[in-house]
Amino acid sequence: TTPMALKAGAGFESHRGGQIECDEWIEEPVYFLTRNNNLNTYHCSEDWVIAYMVFAALKLNVKDVRIMFMDLMLPGPYNDLWNNVFSDEKLSVFHEWRDQKKSQGVGKVCL
């Protein structure tokens, strides 16, 4: 696999070969999700079916995977579903997570 780095002030970097200098590592798998519309039943069920297929195909356990919402959606009526399946420490909204890391002085997080 190719290591990925998340810079607190920027986006993703891909590193092929060579050493990566990181302030923090995330060792667990991360499922990145951009929701189309978290108020619409159809779109929410799409997100769930796709997540189910990914978890089944990769034989992932929900207890071992971090979910990272990459959108700017406000909490909607279906957020409780995500919260019931994934614990709070495994469920993050990217821009909130990034801001928290920046305030902690973490510059680069690698996956």
Side-chain angles (χ1 to χ4, degrees):
T1 62
T2 301
M4 296 293 292
L6 296 168
K7 281 190 166 178
F12 293 93
E13 291 179 12
S14 177
H15 294 272
R16 294 192 185 274
Q19 293 290 83
I20 300 175
E21 302 232 354
C22 301
D23 298 316
E24 186 175 310
W25 280 89
I26 297 177
E27 299 293 336
E28 64 207 358
V30 180
Y31 180 72
F32 294 98
L33 173 66
T34 302
R35 297 168 291 181
N36 187 17
N37 181 344
N38 68 340
L39 301 174
N40 181 300
T41 302
Y42 175 77
H43 292 298
C44 290
S45 58
E46 269 185 324
D47 294 337
W48 276 101
V49 168
I50 292 168
Y52 174 79
M53 290 189 308
V54 168
F55 277 66
L58 298 176
K59 294 179 175 51
L60 298 172
N61 185 325
V62 295
K63 295 177 183 171
D64 301 331
V65 178
R66 173 178 295 280
I67 300 292
M68 186 76 68
F69 293 119
M70 301 300 289
D71 54 59
L72 298 174
M73 301 277 176
L74 296 173
Y78 301 102
N79 279 34
D80 286 343
L81 290 172
W82 291 102
N83 292 330
N84 286 329
V85 174
F86 299 94
S87 64
D88 284 341
E89 70 238 13
K90 298 282 187 179
L91 198 59
S92 305
V93 177
F94 179 73
H95 68 276
E96 294 170 1
W97 177 85
R98 178 197 60 208
D99 293 345
Q100 178 187 22
K101 293 297 178 189
K102 280 170 62 173
S103 71
Q104 295 170 349
V106 176
K108 188 185 285 188
V109 178
C110 297
L111 310 171

